[in-house]
Amino acid sequence: MENATSQRIAEALHYLQAKVPPKLQQPIIGIICGSGLNGLAEAVLPEPRFETLYTDIPHFPPSTVQGHAGKLLFGVFEPDALPVVLMVGRIHFYEGHSIQSITFPVRLMKRLGVDTIIVTNAAGGLNEDYAVGDLMVLNDHINLAGLAGIHPLRGPNADDFGVRFPALSDAYDLDLRRLVHHLWKELDRDAGSTRRLREGTYAFVGGPSYETRAECRILRRLGADVVGMSTVPEIIAARHCNMRVLAISLVTNNALLEAGPRGDDVQIQGSSRQDLTKAIQEGRANHDEVIDAGKKAAREVQVSRTAPNQGIII
Ligand code: ADE
């Protein structure tokens, strides 16, 4: 018997089958664009192409974030006319959606025929070696909320998508990760970019506030290299229905790990009021810098797309 989730997805699918041109109806790759990373949509060929707003698709959770357009884009990528579907504008838990509703777009993609999902995100760098602008291929994650029971698969299992107790020890596809590293080496990096490709662990936090210094220290000690407010719920939903997963973070800011100035240290050197104010404000994360870093990365993607031997859309 069909459960409520499957019924809602069937209705959304029915809508898309009626609207999307037949040759674009069966994408095999799904892409979720992270904050400020909607520029990926530029890599889709101008023709054939079809887009529909989330708000037009039955039961699709609406995106409310500034800088997230909220549309599903169907198209093809060069050079092999690979059919793709992109989520341009992501759905975040912090917007007020239930953690379960984040699974909806991923499961809809599965029903469309997607077998590989690529998820991008903006993240704060915790690893001291990482710089703003670096990219990190995820090879693991820490789902703090999930460990505490806020989990996208909590509730009756959607048996028609996957098993009750899915394994996540192999969530991030090794072959896809190797491919990214291989292609990265081939890319001509002489275009002036100092970006580096890393591989590491992503910590998922609920947001919407950025982390405190103490929270950053905890996450780092737990083994996280970057921290962000997305991606993990989607990855879990994708693995539940057996999709291959590739996820890439763009480091948009460096999280502050060191303790700030102490209020009880009255002897602090050079502790003029202005110095202290500067020390407190320096390194504060803000949404604008996240969006700016994304835009800069998107511009460089356009440059690298014109480089010879380019074979990857970053
Ligand atoms: N996204 C970008 N930077 C972030 C940070 N420091 N924490 C959580 N999410 C982020």
Side-chain angles (χ1 to χ4, degrees):
M1 200 177 68
E2 269 194 327
N3 60 31
T5 307
S6 302
Q7 180 59 35
R8 283 196 292 271
I9 287 168
E11 285 169 26
L13 186 64
H14 186 71
Y15 170 86
L16 292 174
Q17 284 168 340
K19 296 276 176 191
V20 182
K23 62 180 160 190
L24 297 177
Q25 266 183 26
Q26 287 177 315
I28 55 167
I29 295 190
I31 299 179
I32 302 180
C33 303
S35 299
L37 297 169
N38 293 343
L40 275 176
E42 313 279 316
V44 176
L45 289 181
E47 277 294 323
R49 192 180 167 114
F50 176 83
E51 41 185 71
T52 180
L53 295 174
Y54 296 162
T55 45
D56 291 337
I57 306 170
H59 311 295
F60 206 101
S63 166
T64 62
V65 190
Q66 172 206 358
H68 297 250
K71 63 185 181 188
L72 216 50
L73 167 62
F74 293 80
V76 295
F77 273 151
E78 294 175 284
D80 307 320
L82 204 62
V84 291
V85 58
L86 278 84
M87 270 182 82
V88 185
R90 146 165 297 121
I91 318 290
H92 296 88
F93 178 55
Y94 65 72
E95 292 172 72
H97 301 295
S98 71
I99 196 88
Q100 285 80 12
S101 64
I102 315 275
T103 62
F104 187 90
V106 177
R107 288 177 169 170
L108 181 57
M109 285 184 181
K110 178 74 182 180
R111 286 290 178 260
L112 285 164
V114 166
D115 64 24
T116 301
I117 193 160
I118 303 174
V119 184
T120 66
N121 63 61
L126 295 166
N127 185 318
E128 302 76 2
D129 293 339
Y130 290 12
V132 170
D134 284 356
L135 295 164
M136 189 195 85
V137 179
L138 276 67
N139 62 18
D140 210 340
H141 69 233
I142 298 172
N143 182 8
L144 285 172
L147 294 175
I150 303 170
H151 195 285
L153 303 180
R154 183 168 182 270
N157 185 48
D159 294 329
D160 44 345
F161 283 96
V163 295
R164 170 76 287 189
F165 301 109
L168 289 176
S169 50
D170 60 349
Y172 299 91
D173 191 282
L174 180 59
D175 288 336
L176 293 177
R177 284 188 270 139
R178 288 167 68 101
L179 181 67
V180 172
H181 287 287
H182 177 74
L183 293 170
W184 181 264
K185 285 205 178 89
E186 277 189 6
L187 270 176
D188 180 8
R189 293 280 97 196
D190 296 341
S193 177
T194 53
R195 248 176 244 292
R196 297 191 62 182
L197 183 65
R198 315 285 191 164
E199 179 162 320
T201 300
Y202 178 98
F204 168 59
V205 292
S209 59
Y210 291 106
E211 309 68 44
T212 66
R213 295 163 187 256
E215 287 163 350
C216 288
R217 289 200 295 278
I218 291 175
L219 295 171
R220 182 67 187 132
R221 280 181 196 156
L222 289 178
D225 296 293
V226 299
V227 53
M229 305 174 195
S230 68
T231 300
V232 167
E234 292 100 316
I235 301 295
I236 294 173
R239 288 305 295 149
H240 183 236
C241 61
N242 209 25
M243 285 182 185
R244 294 175 77 196
V245 165
L246 174 67
I248 301 178
S249 294
L250 169 68
V251 178
T252 53
N253 56 286
N254 282 318
L256 285 183
L257 290 150
E258 75 280 7
R262 293 189 62 102
D264 60 1
D265 187 356
V266 286
Q267 303 302 330
I268 194 168
Q269 290 285 313
S271 62
S272 70
R273 184 149 185 81
Q274 273 161 344
D275 285 348
L276 276 177
T277 309
K278 191 160 165 269
I280 291 165
Q281 288 186 345
E282 243 166 34
R284 273 177 105 182
N286 71 74
H287 189 60
D288 290 342
E289 74 180 345
V290 171
I291 298 294
D292 283 351
K295 283 189 185 145
K296 185 157 181 283
R299 268 198 305 278
E300 287 195 15
V301 169
Q302 296 308 311
V303 173
S304 57
R305 286 188 76 235
T306 61
N309 298 329
Q310 79 83 28
I312 186 167
I313 295 141
I314 307 152

